[in-house]
Amino acid sequence: MLSKKMEKALNEQVGMEAAASQKYLAMAIWCDAEGLEGSAQFFFDHAEEERMHMMKIINYIQESGGLSVVPALAKPTQKYADIKAVINAAYNSEKKVTKAIHNLVDLSLTEKDHATYNFLQWYVAEQQEEEVLMRKIIDKIELIGKGPQALYYIDQAIFKTGQEAEAN
Ligand code: OFO
């Protein structure tokens, strides 16, 4: 059985995952409008993934005798200077989510809620992977540099890095 404190904190995480999904959807649309098809696919896939993360927490709250709350969401920005700004925003967003997950883990320990602690370990590993993924993409963008075909190669690199991460 979840404590009220734990239930509230998990519901806040539901909101964060939902907001991440919306944010990635907006990024996907931006990329698509810029003709960056590979990057658009990467973010469409990621938006789905974040929704899955949200659903996983909702199911856990329900199974644990709590009540999930469907969050209200702010409209994400659809304006970016360039693809680098999009990836940097995604990386910063992942870092925030990681912090929130770690705070949840801390709370599960103070609440002596071992089931939730165990449940959250999946998210700890997932956040680690997502940060690595974003950093890999940032490194590739730096490597490709600013040549005339740079955008084409960056788009391919984003798509390919996403596919590789999914396959693992
Ligand atoms: Fe839900 O993993 Fe990213 O934010």
Side-chain angles (χ1 to χ4, degrees), residues 34-55:
E34 294 290 313
L36 300 166
E37 274 177 31
S39 309
Q41 193 56 53
F42 172 83
F43 283 113
F44 278 126
D45 291 347
H46 233 76
E48 283 303 309
E49 231 186 81
E50 297 299 349
R51 187 174 163 78
M52 180 274 276
H53 296 172
M54 175 192 77
M55 289 308 300

Side-chain angles (χ1 to χ4, degrees), residues 27 42-43 82-92 134 137-138 141 158:
M27 289 175 180
F42 172 83
F43 283 113
D82 52 25
I83 187 65
K84 205 173 165 188
V86 177
I87 296 292
N88 280 333
Y91 183 40
N92 287 335
M134 294 303 171
I137 292 175
I138 290 169
I141 292 175
I158 292 173

Side-chain angles (χ1 to χ4, degrees), residues 147-158:
Q149 314 269 294
L151 254 186
Y152 174 80
Y153 290 114
I154 288 171
D155 188 47
Q156 298 242 312
I158 292 173

Side-chain angles (χ1 to χ4, degrees), residues 108-119:
S108 72
L109 286 173
T110 56
E111 294 284 293
K112 296 194 179 7
D113 182 346
H114 297 137
T116 301
Y117 174 86
N118 189 41
F119 168 74

Side-chain angles (χ1 to χ4, degrees), residues 2 10 56-64 113 115-116 119:
L2 289 175
L10 285 169
K56 219 171 145 79
I57 303 174
I58 288 178
N59 288 331
Y60 178 75
I61 295 172
Q62 295 302 116
E63 278 170 3
S64 310
D113 182 346
T116 301
F119 168 74

Side-chain angles (χ1 to χ4, degrees), residues 64-150:
S64 310
L67 189 67
S68 304
V69 179
V70 178
L73 297 173
K75 184 186 177 303
T77 183
Q78 287 190 227
K79 287 194 184 119
Y80 290 97
D82 52 25
I83 187 65
K84 205 173 165 188
V86 177
I87 296 292
N88 280 333
Y91 183 40
N92 287 335
S93 168
E94 288 304 333
K95 284 196 282 191
K96 271 190 200 142
V97 173
T98 300
K99 220 176 229 169
I101 294 290
H102 291 177
N103 287 341
L104 274 176
V105 172
D106 288 346
L107 181 64
S108 72
L109 286 173
T110 56
E111 294 284 293
K112 296 194 179 7
D113 182 346
H114 297 137
T116 301
Y117 174 86
N118 189 41
F119 168 74
L120 289 169
Q121 294 313 300
W122 184 87
Y123 286 86
V124 172
E126 180 69 16
Q127 281 311 122
Q128 169 86 353
E129 276 175 26
E130 296 207 327
E131 285 198 25
V132 169
L133 172 65
M134 294 303 171
R135 273 203 307 271
K136 262 190 195 167
I137 292 175
I138 290 169
D139 287 349
K140 283 183 186 170
I141 292 175
E142 293 299 328
L143 257 179
I144 293 168
K146 286 190 182 348
Q149 314 269 294

